[in-house]
Amino acid sequence: NIQLLASATEKLTAVLHCNRRDVWVIAHDGNSNRFYSWLVTSTGVSASPVISAVGSAHNGDPIGCMKVSPDGQHLALGYYVSGGDQFIELFDFDNTSGKVSDPIRFDYGSNCYGVEFSPNSRYLYYTASPGSNTASINIYQVDLCAGTNAQIKASSQVIGNSSNGYIRTLQL
């Protein structure tokens, strides 16, 4: 019961290492753009995390989900601060080294909270409200095989919505 990161946000996830035995535990640091990845093996938790300073700083008290794709190649998160910035970020994740890199930011009006990947890791799904319309929340699908970062971002399309504002966490 050892605290690994005192200033962590609520964003915490885990994914298998490429060896399919060990696990990466990943957290996002508060008031920074740093991800911390700890390798967990049969001998315990690594003493030194892999630190990746990439993407947007998580200032204030942001909420939102963070997930890694089933193939261990992508990481996505929702960033929601009441009255502040709200966006979705997609990254590459290296499940050999624990490094997070290559951010793509999806800016929307509000309710950027839930993220999930398809079982085959081809699609990212996320929740967001168009513009400032907080009463309507959409579910978006992004094709991660669309090509360049700009093409991946352009592939985002609405596949579902709720007019009562109650879509948040997504789960396979």
Side-chain angles (χ1 to χ4, degrees):
N1 198 14
I2 300 168
Q3 184 178 41
L4 297 175
L5 183 61
S7 57
T9 66
E10 74 172 4
K11 291 164 183 52
L12 178 70
T13 193
V15 65
L16 282 173
H17 183 277
C18 69
N19 67 18
R20 310 299 287 169
R21 283 186 318 274
D22 302 328
V23 174
W24 289 105
V25 174
I26 308 159
H28 198 286
D29 193 18
N31 296 310
S32 84
N33 68 339
R34 290 184 303 270
F35 290 88
Y36 287 72
S37 302
W38 291 270
L39 186 61
V40 181
T41 68
S42 61
T43 61
V45 179
S46 61
S48 300
V50 175
I51 302 171
S52 304
V54 63
S56 302
H58 288 208
N59 298 317
D61 191 19
I63 60 173
C65 299
M66 183 169 74
K67 305 261 180 104
V68 176
S69 60
D71 67 2
Q73 302 303 301
H74 297 283
L75 179 145
L77 59 83
Y79 182 91
Y80 179 110
V81 173
S82 183
D85 279 347
Q86 298 188 28
F87 53 85
I88 301 294
E89 275 188 311
L90 171 67
F91 301 86
D92 290 339
F93 182 74
D94 184 335
N95 65 346
T96 301
S97 69
K99 292 293 279 181
V100 179
S101 63
D102 200 20
I104 303 173
R105 183 169 159 157
F106 298 82
D107 287 299
Y108 289 93
S110 59
N111 290 309
C112 299
Y113 189 91
V115 293
E116 185 58 279
F117 291 93
S118 62
N120 66 1
S121 301
R122 178 171 181 167
Y123 299 102
L124 167 66
Y125 299 93
Y126 63 89
T127 62
S129 293
S132 61
N133 182 2
T134 60
S136 176
I137 298 179
N138 293 333
I139 299 175
Y140 293 84
Q141 176 182 279
V142 176
D143 185 350
L144 302 179
C145 296
T148 65
N149 284 0
Q151 291 167 320
I152 289 170
K153 194 171 177 175
S155 75
S156 181
Q157 63 180 322
V158 176
I159 62 165
N161 65 1
S162 170
S163 60
N164 66 10
Y166 288 109
I167 300 175
R168 292 284 191 263
T169 302
L170 301 175
Q171 187 71 38
L172 278 178

